[in-house]
Amino acid sequence: MQQFVILLHLCKKTKEENKKKMKKISTHPMEALLKKNHTPKIKNKQEIDAKIVSISKKNIVFDIGAKAYAILGHREQKEISTKLPYLKEGQLIKVRIISPESKEGYPVVSLQNFFQKGKWQILKEKKEKEDEIDVICGEYGKGGVFVDFMGIRGVIPKIQLTEDFINQPEKLNGQKIKVKILEVDEEKNRLVVSQKASALKISQKDLREKFEKIEVGKKYQAKVLGVSDFGAFCEVDDVEGLIHISEISWEKVNSAADHLRTGEKIDVIVVEKNDVDLKLNLSIKRLKNDPWTEIEKKYSKDKEVEGEVVRKEKYGYFIRLEPGVEGLIHISKIPAGEEVKIGQKIKAFVERVSEKTRRMSLVLPSKEKPVTYR
């Protein structure tokens, strides 16, 4: 009989212990944290340091000191998905008290001030660590694809797009993509990011090492990534470069697209390096001798020359004497009734020439005195 009583007692004890265990298991971790809450002395609108204890898709629990816990306000809970990529458990963060004690008995806090003041700090830290960030793409403009990061407007330069988008950047409009930060400056309100660096896993550290090895004045092979009104975007060993339209040829270039095609590989010379942005200024024309060197000896005053009329301006006609060398016949130097046509081959005399200003004035031969002119 005594054994039966002991057995019954043990069964009853085990049943009670199981109930306690089940109750403990069924309690949500967030609820368990909040039940331990012992609210410290805090005031409404007070800003304090808080440690993120728990993060979920519905709420965030903060340790605000003295083993007290607080949660995010209801309004910000609705926008929590936009904040989660920038927060992690264990992170120390500034919060603002919006309710020292809610109906449930625990404080309610806001992250609004942190995301207003701290987002630039987030960007700086992400840049230093070369971490990716999520941005929303906007329209494509002259500077590149505009993006938004937590209300900060940034840009992806066209050359920082992968080949899938570099020729059709407008396809990114409205898309949420991952990028790496190239430049962040709070004072200038400037944010420059790269979609290519993120997609191709390009390290800025490795890129700088490659940049340092490139020498000014040296010849390299470059790949043309894209062509614009002001020149061509290129890549030299993964380092960004630009060939300005004025550096394509010694001759006048009206359109870079007439000379270069996307995807082709060309020889270039490095003219300048930008150590801050890790960018190169490149040239094609400087691989050849400047035709204006010692031009005054080659085309001396009164020398008779022959060339082709290549274009007309309001002030006269330009005559191409050789690739990269043109002379101007001013409109006032053309006799009345005499017609000059584009593409016409004509003879003229050198009136003035300057290597410094890279200008040459020509005059037509006098019909009355074909030997010379005055």
Side-chain angles (χ1 to χ4, degrees), residues 69-88:
Y69 297 99
I71 63 167
L72 202 61
H74 290 297
R75 185 178 295 178
E76 291 182 48
Q77 285 178 21
K78 296 177 183 178
E79 304 168 357
I80 197 170
S81 60
T82 62
K83 294 179 171 64
L84 290 181
Y86 316 109
L87 303 171
K88 60 184 179 180

Side-chain angles (χ1 to χ4, degrees), residues 17 28 34 86 88 92 106 114 143 146 155 175 224 233 257 270 278 291 299 313 352:
E17 285 177 350
H28 192 278
L34 294 172
Y86 316 109
K88 60 184 179 180
L92 196 63
Y106 43 79
F114 169 77
F146 294 107
V155 66
Q175 289 194 38
V224 179
F233 298 112
V270 178
L278 303 184
Y299 294 95
E313 302 290 350
R352 286 185 304 275

Side-chain angles (χ1 to χ4, degrees), residues 99-116:
S99 175
E101 189 174 352
S102 64
K103 292 179 181 178
E104 291 80 5
Y106 43 79
V108 179
V109 298
S110 169
L111 286 174
Q112 188 173 355
N113 284 2
F114 169 77
F115 279 101
Q116 281 296 112

Side-chain angles (χ1 to χ4, degrees), residues 28 54 59 68 87 103 120 169 212 215 224-225 233 265 284 286-287 301 313 334 368:
H28 192 278
S54 173
N59 213 328
L87 303 171
K103 292 179 181 178
W120 286 102
E212 296 294 344
E215 300 176 27
V224 179
L225 300 178
F233 298 112
K265 293 183 178 179
I284 298 174
R286 299 194 197 195
L287 291 169
K301 181 176 169 59
E313 302 290 350
I334 299 175
E368 296 178 0

Side-chain angles (χ1 to χ4, degrees), residues 8-247:
L8 185 66
H9 177 72
L10 288 173
C11 288
K12 186 177 180 182
K13 186 177 180 182
T14 304
K15 190 174 181 181
E16 288 176 355
E17 285 177 350
N18 285 339
K19 280 184 180 181
K20 288 180 181 179
K21 285 181 182 179
M22 290 300 295
K23 188 177 181 181
K24 188 176 181 181
I25 292 170
S26 64
T27 304
H28 192 278
M30 188 175 290
E31 291 178 10
L33 284 172
L34 294 172
K35 281 185 177 180
K36 294 179 183 180
N37 191 45
H38 299 287
T39 308
K41 293 181 180 179
I42 53 174
K43 297 178 181 179
N44 194 26
K45 297 183 179 180
Q46 179 184 353
E47 276 198 333
I48 59 174
D49 290 320
K51 184 179 180 181
I52 297 177
V53 178
S54 173
I55 296 178
S56 72
K57 292 182 179 180
K58 293 184 178 180
N59 213 328
I60 304 173
V61 177
F62 303 88
D63 182 345
I64 59 173
K67 296 183 180 180
Y69 297 99
I71 63 167
L72 202 61
H74 290 297
R75 185 178 295 178
E76 291 182 48
Q77 285 178 21
K78 296 177 183 178
E79 304 168 357
I80 197 170
S81 60
T82 62
K83 294 179 171 64
L84 290 181
Y86 316 109
L87 303 171
K88 60 184 179 180
E89 289 184 5
Q91 182 179 356
L92 196 63
I93 197 169
K94 275 281 188 201
V95 298
R96 182 171 60 89
I97 305 297
I98 56 176
S99 175
E101 189 174 352
S102 64
K103 292 179 181 178
E104 291 80 5
Y106 43 79
V108 179
V109 298
S110 169
L111 286 174
Q112 188 173 355
N113 284 2
F114 169 77
F115 279 101
Q116 281 296 112
K117 299 175 183 178
K119 52 192 173 185
W120 286 102
Q121 186 60 37
I122 291 173
L123 290 173
K124 289 174 185 176
E125 291 174 0
K126 294 284 187 182
K127 182 180 184 298
E128 289 173 5
K129 295 177 182 178
E130 292 199 38
D131 289 342
E132 295 175 324
I133 61 169
D134 293 311
V135 296
I136 304 296
C137 296
E139 295 181 352
Y140 171 71
K142 287 185 178 181
V145 176
F146 294 107
V147 297
D148 180 87
F149 173 82
M150 293 166 55
I152 296 175
R153 197 184 193 204
V155 66
I156 309 173
K158 189 175 181 181
I159 197 171
Q160 292 299 332
L161 299 171
T162 55
E163 291 187 22
D164 296 338
F165 298 109
I166 198 165
N167 292 316
Q168 291 181 302
E170 61 279 356
K171 281 187 173 182
L172 286 170
N173 194 357
Q175 289 194 38
K176 182 180 180 180
I177 63 169
K178 291 188 180 296
V179 296
K180 282 192 174 184
I181 302 166
L182 300 181
E183 185 181 347
V184 54
D185 191 322
E186 184 176 0
E187 290 183 5
K188 295 180 180 178
N189 196 36
R190 180 173 171 80
L191 173 63
V192 182
V193 297
S194 171
Q195 178 258 342
K196 179 172 68 175
S198 175
L200 303 182
K201 306 301 178 186
I202 297 172
S203 164
Q204 287 297 105
K205 183 181 178 182
D206 294 341
L207 193 62
R208 179 166 283 282
E209 288 178 0
K210 291 180 179 181
F211 176 84
E212 296 294 344
K213 291 178 182 178
I214 295 173
E215 300 176 27
V216 173
K218 194 173 178 180
K219 177 182 172 182
Y220 293 90
Q221 189 176 71
K223 182 181 179 181
V224 179
L225 300 178
V227 180
S228 71
D229 294 338
F230 52 84
F233 298 112
C234 297
E235 201 172 62
V236 176
D237 194 19
D238 294 330
V239 179
E240 176 186 341
L242 172 69
I243 305 172
H244 192 268
I245 194 168
S246 63
E247 291 292 336

